[in-house]
Amino acid sequence: MKPEFNVTVLISGKGSNLKSLIDNAYNYRVTSVISSCHTAGGLEYAKQADIPCYSFDRSDFAKLRDQKIAIFEKAKALNPDLIALAGFMLLVQPEFVNFFQGRMINIHPSLLPAYPGLETHKRVLQAKEIGHGCSVHYVDLGIDNGPLIAQAALEVAPEDTEESLSSRVQKLEHKLFPWVLNNLASRRIALKNGKVIFDQSARRQAHDFGYILGESK
Ligand code: GRF
């Protein structure tokens, strides 16, 4: 029997990545969803898939800190093998990052280390970049920082707008994120002494899909 690899997904918004993580889970299971907002569209995907979801809206708490503590406490209680940040818009507290060190990953819409933070598509267009894409990385104490696992890239077309780039990058995200999770769950990708390592089969697949692996940067 395949060992269970339980994943808790943290969201704040529409949750298209959550949907893709649910639909493409072969070696892991999305066992819970935490939202920082009662109205996050992604909560619907969790409900449709009968996945327990927990929502901690800012309006329920006097202070932002209290909201973050409640989310951290819930994540600790759920004790998943991995936390996947999928459009989670709150900065995770240092205690949270430290507690889940090596067990928390994030997806970001740029080719990190370029363009951490918000409005990546706009900034990529302003800078007239020819390449863009998305990255999945382990979370550390920096913003959109931490050991890079894999990236998917595209060429920026002259006619691209923020909207078109956002939708093209999201298509890449919906494949890359579950690919990383399936490989982490089957230990084909792992973190060892702060470095991301890949076995032959993960390397081969990454090559076939045109993914850039963290170590090759
Ligand atoms: C994604 O583009 C992800 O890279 C970023 O937030 C967005 C979330 O989109 N961190 P969705 O809610 O998964 O549709």
Side-chain angles (χ1 to χ4, degrees):
M1 211 177 73
K2 229 187 254 179
E4 287 275 295
F5 189 92
N6 296 333
V7 177
T8 296
V9 182
L10 269 57
I11 61 166
S12 298
K14 74 176 161 57
S16 65
N17 278 287
L18 166 65
K19 180 177 185 329
S20 164
L21 289 178
I22 295 170
D23 292 348
N24 297 289
Y26 303 111
N27 302 329
Y28 63 90
R29 267 198 334 138
V30 177
T31 43
S32 48
V33 172
I34 296 178
S35 169
S36 64
C37 171
H38 290 325
T39 54
L43 288 169
E44 273 314 305
Y45 295 128
K47 284 178 194 151
Q48 279 163 22
D50 271 333
I51 297 169
C53 36
Y54 309 92
S55 170
F56 299 87
D57 200 276
R58 179 69 185 85
S59 63
D60 297 336
F61 300 90
K63 292 186 199 137
L64 174 63
R65 190 165 174 275
D66 298 338
Q67 180 192 16
K68 290 186 178 187
I69 289 171
I71 291 174
F72 178 31
E73 291 302 323
K74 176 49 83 179
K76 272 199 290 191
L78 292 166
N79 191 29
D81 296 295
L82 190 87
I83 296 218
L85 305 181
F88 185 65
M89 297 307 286
L90 290 184
L91 280 184
V92 181
Q93 298 154 292
E95 300 80 14
F96 197 163
V97 174
N98 290 333
F99 187 88
F100 284 101
Q101 182 120 48
R103 285 199 290 153
M104 186 172 350
I105 65 173
N106 178 45
I107 184 147
H108 180 74
S110 79
L111 297 175
L112 292 170
Y115 304 102
L118 300 174
E119 301 198 315
T120 58
H121 311 304
K122 186 176 174 177
R123 289 187 286 147
V124 159
L125 287 172
Q126 277 167 353
K128 301 198 188 326
E129 297 282 3
I130 50 171
H132 187 31
C134 55
S135 309
V136 177
H137 63 95
Y138 282 100
V139 174
D140 73 5
L141 293 173
I143 293 179
D144 300 320
N145 201 47
L148 188 60
I149 303 173
Q151 297 179 317
L154 54 72
E155 271 177 34
V156 181
E159 63 275 17
D160 264 321
T161 60
E162 262 184 72
E163 292 70 35
S164 70
L165 267 189
S166 158
S167 115
R168 292 180 63 208
V169 168
Q170 282 229 306
K171 279 202 184 110
L172 296 178
E173 292 184 339
H174 298 160
K175 294 207 157 66
L176 180 71
F177 211 8
W179 180 79
V180 167
L181 260 91
N182 280 310
N183 279 286
L184 285 172
S186 59
R187 316 280 191 252
R188 294 195 164 100
I189 301 178
L191 189 67
K192 236 187 183 169
N193 303 325
K195 283 210 169 357
V196 185
I197 53 168
F198 307 87
D199 82 353
Q200 280 299 334
S201 126
R203 275 171 202 286
R204 214 173 303 122
Q205 278 185 6
H207 178 265
D208 292 349
F209 296 148
Y211 295 155
I212 304 156
L213 294 181
E215 50 157 13
S216 57
K217 298 244 37 170

